[in-house]
Amino acid sequence: MADGRLTTHVLDTARGKPAAGVRIMLYRVSGNTHRKIAETVTNEDGRTDAPLLAGKAFAAGGYELVFCAGDYLRAQGAEGVLFLDEIPVRFGIADAGAHYHVPLLLSPFGYGTYRGS
């Protein structure tokens, strides 16, 4: 039985603080097929209140997180046509017993991600 989990958090690097209120969708990806399996919103600490995926549902394979950055940036006062809107991050899980942490470092004109711990 898998005991791994998937977590994330979002940091607003332009403001130097956690990004609260960012909507995030998680998809299982297989070839050209995307199936939404979770949706959540970051809390005041820029984190989700629970893992996005854990337990029996956590399995090896392809996944995609979609961060609704445009909605967040507009809520922070950004106007007009934004450079960033939805940010998809596609990644693979090879070890269903491990902790995969996929954070997003966000600013109005760029972002970064990595496999954290």
Side-chain angles (χ1 to χ4, degrees):
M1 179 168 140
D3 58 0
R5 67 192 185 285
L6 172 65
T7 58
T8 188
H9 75 274
V10 183
L11 295 176
D12 183 333
T13 58
R15 298 174 65 219
K17 56 193 265 183
V22 177
R23 187 167 56 107
I24 303 166
M25 288 89 64
L26 174 64
Y27 295 86
R28 173 72 183 203
V29 178
S30 179
N32 290 326
T33 303
H34 286 63
R35 182 174 50 89
K36 188 184 338 181
I37 56 176
E39 185 170 334
T40 190
V41 176
T42 57
N43 61 26
E44 292 300 313
D45 195 33
R47 298 179 181 277
T48 59
D49 290 330
L52 291 160
L53 203 56
K56 291 180 182 178
F58 189 78
Y63 294 87
E64 184 173 85
L65 285 168
V66 177
F67 297 87
C68 296
D71 294 343
Y72 168 79
L73 293 168
R74 284 183 194 89
Q76 303 308 309
E79 297 178 346
V81 177
L82 301 180
F83 180 67
L84 294 174
D85 192 7
E86 290 187 347
I87 300 173
V89 177
R90 192 172 292 188
F91 59 96
I93 291 174
D95 180 358
H99 178 198
Y100 283 73
H101 185 70
V102 183
L104 185 75
L105 307 175
L106 174 64
S107 79
F109 299 102
Y111 67 91
T113 190
Y114 55 94
R115 180 176 174 193
S117 58

